Amino acid sequence: MLWLRSRNRNTMKNYSDRGVATKETPFEVAEASDVVITMLPSPSHVLDVYNGSHGLLHGGSHIRPWLLIDSSTIDPQTSRELSAVVSSCVLKEKRGSWESPVMLDAPVSGGVLAADARTLTFMVGGLEEAYHAAKALFLAMGKGSVYCGGAGNGSAAKICNNLALAVSMLGVSEALALGQSLGISAKTLTKVFNSSSARCWSSESYNPVPGVMEEVPSARDYDGGFATKLMVKDLNLAKASASEVGLQHPLTSQGLEIYEKLCKDGYENKDFSCVFRHFYSGDNES
């Protein structure tokens, strides 16, 4: 049985109308479930859903779910702390060889387009035995999963992935805008990139120039996709993590400033690839 709990009432009604059972609180979901999967906007939302007054762990040290998977993009430390809390609980009923509940941090890559196409990639941290037990669930929702190590490592991998994505989008956008200014069309320069050393996901699969690719956010005025405000959130997580371990992070800081400016200029809900048009003032391809 699939149970749904969403912060959005309209979303709950939409799924309820389609025959999906819904519950009013996370605790009610936990009481009816063997496996719980969460995906939330921020660390504070995750902590509230797990530890809040009607949270998944509201029942105290004895809980029903043997496996809790959090697919939110949050900081590794929060994931590790939450995993420790879950591991200290006891199952109401033993599930196979599991006497204590386990938690996996399993954020995803691919965005809305991959979610719709079921081609997400899960980056998973936690007990390796639990990862193998949950692998079929990941394959039901996406194209694959990568085991990243202990608790929090899935969250760490996601932060690093999105940092690289943010910087690559800035580099591709800046280069394409420069090319246009020097008289090279974005379509031509994209062909050069994709057949040479500049080839990357931002140029080949998610090109930021309107008119170069179809079925990407740049083809629909940057609507849909991965919101700029979410990229700001992820870069803040990366910056905080880098500071915590004493790593220099000039590209993280510069990228964060650029995406924060886009948000201040009113583009927080546009896809982050809008940096091409609204920061670099790039042109559409005819």
Side-chain angles (χ1 to χ4, degrees):
M1 172 68 75
L2 172 66
W3 300 98
L4 176 73
R5 168 69 177 100
S6 174
R7 297 171 64 241
N8 188 316
R9 290 281 176 179
N10 290 331
T11 298
M12 287 183 64
K13 184 178 186 306
N14 180 40
Y15 279 96
S16 179
D17 290 345
R18 292 158 65 180
V20 177
T22 61
K23 294 290 185 180
E24 287 297 313
T25 68
F27 176 65
E28 291 178 14
V29 172
E31 287 292 282
S33 306
D34 294 325
V35 177
V36 174
I37 302 173
T38 52
M39 184 179 285
L40 299 153
S42 71
S44 62
H45 292 110
V46 174
L47 291 174
D48 183 56
V49 165
Y50 275 82
N51 298 329
S53 58
H54 297 287
L56 295 169
L57 306 181
H58 176 67
S61 60
H62 289 73
I63 64 175
R64 173 175 173 173
W66 73 271
L67 176 62
L68 297 105
I69 300 173
D70 182 44
S71 290
S72 312
T73 299
I74 60 175
D75 60 286
Q77 187 59 30
T78 297
S79 293
R80 287 165 183 152
E81 291 173 359
L82 205 51
S83 177
V85 171
V86 169
S87 297
S88 69
C89 295
V90 178
L91 287 174
K92 287 184 176 180
E93 295 181 15
K94 183 178 178 181
R95 299 289 195 283
S97 61
W98 302 99
E99 295 185 359
S100 299
V102 290
M103 183 174 183
L104 296 172
D105 46 283
V108 300
S109 177
V112 175
L113 296 178
D116 289 340
R118 288 173 54 185
T119 57
L120 293 168
T121 296
F122 290 82
M123 295 155 268
V124 188
L127 284 175
E128 189 168 6
E129 297 88 343
Y131 164 69
H132 288 297
K135 207 167 183 180
L137 287 173
F138 297 134
L139 289 175
M141 297 182 286
K143 67 178 181 181
S145 59
V146 178
Y147 180 65
C148 301
N153 280 18
S155 294
K158 178 59 185 293
I159 290 174
C160 294
N161 181 81
N162 278 21
L163 166 59
L165 173 61
V167 172
S168 73
M169 182 58 75
L170 291 174
V172 166
S173 296
E174 186 169 317
L176 289 169
L178 176 61
Q180 287 182 335
S181 298
L182 296 174
I184 309 172
S185 75
K187 287 182 179 178
T188 298
L189 198 50
T190 294
K191 289 179 181 178
V192 172
F193 288 176
N194 293 342
S195 59
S196 61
S197 55
R199 180 182 180 185
C200 65
W201 189 78
S202 295
S203 66
E204 186 174 44
S205 300
Y206 213 77
N207 197 283
V209 182
V212 171
M213 292 183 66
E214 298 179 353
E215 299 182 0
V216 292
S218 63
R220 50 177 184 268
D221 195 29
Y222 302 102
D223 288 331
F226 188 66
T228 300
K229 64 182 178 182
L230 295 179
M231 184 58 82
V232 167
K233 183 207 77 170
D234 291 355
L235 287 174
N236 271 312
L237 291 174
K239 183 178 180 180
S241 294
S243 297
E244 186 177 328
V245 298
L247 180 74
Q248 295 188 70
H249 48 279
L251 295 181
T252 305
S253 297
Q254 184 65 48
L256 178 58
E257 289 179 13
I258 292 172
Y259 287 112
E260 283 180 332
K261 184 179 187 307
L262 287 175
C263 289
K264 290 176 183 176
D265 290 344
Y267 304 111
E268 67 273 14
N269 292 316
K270 293 291 187 178
D271 182 78
F272 76 107
S273 64
C274 77
V275 69
F276 170 79
R277 174 185 287 171
H278 299 301
F279 183 82
Y280 291 109
S281 301
D283 296 323
N284 293 6
E285 284 289 289
S286 57

